[in-house]
Amino acid sequence: MPFGYNGKILVVNLSEGTWTTDEHDETWYRTYWGGGALASWYMHKLIPPGCDPLGPENVLVFATSVLCGAPLSGFSRLTAAAKSPLSGGFGESEAGGYLGPELKHAGFDAVVFTGVSPKPVYLYINKGAVELRDAGKFWGMENAPLHDALKEELGEAKIRVASIGPAGENLVRYACIVNEFIHVNGRCGMGAVMGSKKVKALVCLGDENSVAFADPEAVKELNKWHRKAISEHMPNVNLGKNGTPMHVMTLQNNGMLPTRNWKEGVFEGAEAIGLPGYEKILKGRHTCYKCSVACKRVVNNTSDERYGGPEFETLGAFGSMCGVGVLDDVSKAHERSNALGLDTVSAGGVVAFAMELAEEGIIDTSDVKGFGDGPGMIALLEKIARREGIGDILAEGSALAAKKIGRGAEKFVCAVKGQEPGYHDPRGKTGVGMGFALSPTGADHIEAPHEVAFQGDAVNLVKPIGVLTPPKPLETDIDKVRFFVEGQKTWAMNNTLSICNYVVRPIFAMTYDKLVDTVRAITGWQTSLYELMLAAERSIVLARMFNVREGLGRDDDRLFERMHKPMPSGPLQGRFIDEQAFRTSLDLYYEMMNWDENGVPRRGKLHSLNLGWLAA
Amino acid sequence: MNVRVKALGPLAEKISDNGDAVVLPDTSTLGDLLGMLGIAPSDVMLAFVDGALAVPSTPLRPGCRVYLSPFICGG
């Protein structure tokens, strides 16, 4: 009998309207664990190379892990993965909330959607019973009304729902999947893939006691320890008190708050959208399954408070990036994005890109005005989600839109592998730039912990993963690359285990020792941090190998042009990332990872990670 | 007692002689030190006393080394 997981993965053939259950042995689970690694296995096996990400051959995986749903803070992440319609390569996105644990408690460790349904459907998993139900009457609905309608149709108040809005239905390439209004698989256009398959929602209802743990008493004790640690550990205390909006002013004060399509790093409206302004709209806090951190916000300036308040990335996206210093406009843009099913990070980047094109006279200003136009920003989101007018082109993402627009628009694209980045300027922390360049999913701000945190004595936090020297934020040197290699693994470990970055080291409350104890208590496996880091590296290599077979390589590992230009003002005035030095650091990363000069993992590396089946 | 305090980034501006000794009453805690320096605990991401991770209730001892790091990440 497995501990911590069900041993069952649901594979749904949408074209046929049928499903089967995959059962894998313990070695398989101990190799792939969950999250992106588990999803990668299915993506490699089931997706033919070169297929259209929005065509029937793509596969959409919802994955939990061997730990997801255990009753501890932050053990709740849900991965959505597929070939990305933004990059044409590996797509993966994590969300917190409740759907991951509910799926697990409903009897499955993952759901794999293949094919395309001939009509709109939703999948309902009720304590092991599976049903594909007609969603024709729900097609076109926004996420909150859909949620209410599903509860009414099923007559179950306790269902958990992950769904797409009109943006996903209309194949907006950065459409997201929303669970419980505020928890979002945002990145990589997973909502568009779901829409292409005509799946409106994944609905789960489970039994919390359905998954057994190897040592339930130890799990209880570890939870008690973790909650106490969270209540005292300063990063967690402050995150609970202030939420991620507090990052606006810290980035502003350090000159790295991306402003007006990455042209600047200081925004005159930062206080209005940051904590000083946010405190005026704050109504309450919200949290994920069993989590005592409670970093989510409830605000008083939206129409439906269930959509929650904007988090830092959204404040950057619709605030500083678009030059909008009116928090009511930013909150409205956030609410509409969650309702329509748009990834706020990409959406903000695309709108900022359009605003700059308007200012440069490249697109018609009757469609979109320049920076600072809050109402115009909100109107543009509606057009994008419904693919109306200029919105139809912008729905392709900034990189593809620029190709369609022409007239020099490509110069203003700030994206990597087709994906717009999160809002941290790498000119102030070059390790974040490495994450933008090297993430298999396209620009990603949570590829590795940000090195600025580990200065001075704080390097002690990363010593357990072998980083003994503080990585200098502004350098692209050997120490930085070494830090990135290990940092990337520690966050890949979280993604593989379905754990939130906000509950575990290197910064947050759960120590690596306690994490290993927890994995042991849940699974009964006599594991170690070494094994968990190997699992993390395996997930990185699986994703890289998916990109290799899709034709992405060294040339795609890069930053956008603006990062190599001097910052015009603020604390980082004059700072830029030297292109050649940065390239050298990426090449050194390949070497440290035992990848070849083209960024392809070597045969020996594949075999050492039990991935020999990927060796040519 | 004397303790040595070093802070990073914006927090450094709150300390007149960053890295030098600060005089505190005996039996003071990290929270007492932050209060004396006019630093809100919510402005500190990480604090260390003699290299060990600390919380506001962590007691200080004569001659100890305090390191303060501001909130600077995101996500």
Side-chain angles (χ1 to χ4, degrees), chain A residues 125-181:
Chain A
I125 307 174
N126 181 353
K127 297 173 188 165
V130 178
E131 211 180 338
L132 261 181
R133 296 175 66 103
D134 178 54
K137 57 184 170 296
F138 303 134
W139 205 247
M141 288 178 82
E142 296 181 358
N143 282 309
L146 170 71
H147 193 273
D148 295 338
L150 285 167
K151 278 190 174 177
E152 189 178 338
E153 168 160 300
L154 295 169
E156 289 282 359
K158 292 184 176 174
I159 56 168
R160 298 293 185 180
V161 178
S163 59
I164 58 168
E169 296 172 11
N170 293 324
L171 311 184
V172 176
R173 287 181 186 268
Y174 44 95
C176 66
I177 301 167
V178 178
N179 85 72
E180 305 302 308
F181 312 98

Side-chain angles (χ1 to χ4, degrees), chain A residues 301-425:
Chain A
N301 65 344
T302 53
S303 304
D304 185 340
E305 72 174 40
R306 294 180 298 174
Y307 285 121
E311 298 202 44
F312 166 72
E313 296 302 336
T314 306
L315 294 165
F318 295 133
S320 58
M321 269 289 283
C322 293
V324 174
V326 179
L327 192 49
D328 285 347
D329 288 343
V330 175
S331 286
K332 177 55 79 176
H334 153 80
E335 179 181 15
R336 293 306 298 147
S337 295
N338 279 14
L340 295 163
L342 287 168
D343 170 32
T344 58
V345 176
S346 272
V350 170
V351 173
F353 161 75
M355 286 174 161
E356 187 163 12
L357 294 190
E359 291 198 348
E360 293 289 330
I362 294 174
I363 60 173
D364 185 346
T365 52
S366 66
D367 283 320
V368 55
K369 294 188 178 64
F371 294 113
D373 178 12
M377 168 178 74
I378 296 162
L380 196 52
L381 294 174
E382 304 286 345
K383 287 182 182 173
I384 289 169
R386 303 185 196 287
R387 282 189 174 270
E388 292 169 356
I390 187 81
D392 188 34
I393 296 172
L394 296 174
E396 296 292 279
S398 54
L400 284 174
K403 284 183 181 160
K404 291 190 175 184
I405 293 166
R407 303 176 62 200
E410 284 179 328
K411 183 181 162 195
F412 302 100
V413 173
C414 297
V416 180
K417 299 185 182 83
Q419 178 160 269
E420 294 76 16
Y423 298 111
H424 305 258
D425 199 307

Side-chain angles (χ1 to χ4, degrees), chain A residues 232-233 235 238 242 246-247 250 313 424 429 452-453 455-458 460 502 505, chain B residues 8 41-42 44-48 51 53-56 65 67 71-75:
Chain A
E232 296 172 338
H233 187 59
N238 290 330
N242 297 317
M246 67 184 162
H247 298 313
T250 53
E313 296 302 336
H424 305 258
K429 36 185 180 181
V452 283
Q455 306 307 302
D457 286 356
N460 291 342
Y502 285 156
R505 290 290 199 269
Chain B
L8 182 71
S42 58
V44 181
M45 180 170 70
L46 297 160
F48 295 82
L53 200 57
V55 297
R65 191 180 80 247
Y67 180 83
F71 252 101
I72 206 165
C73 283

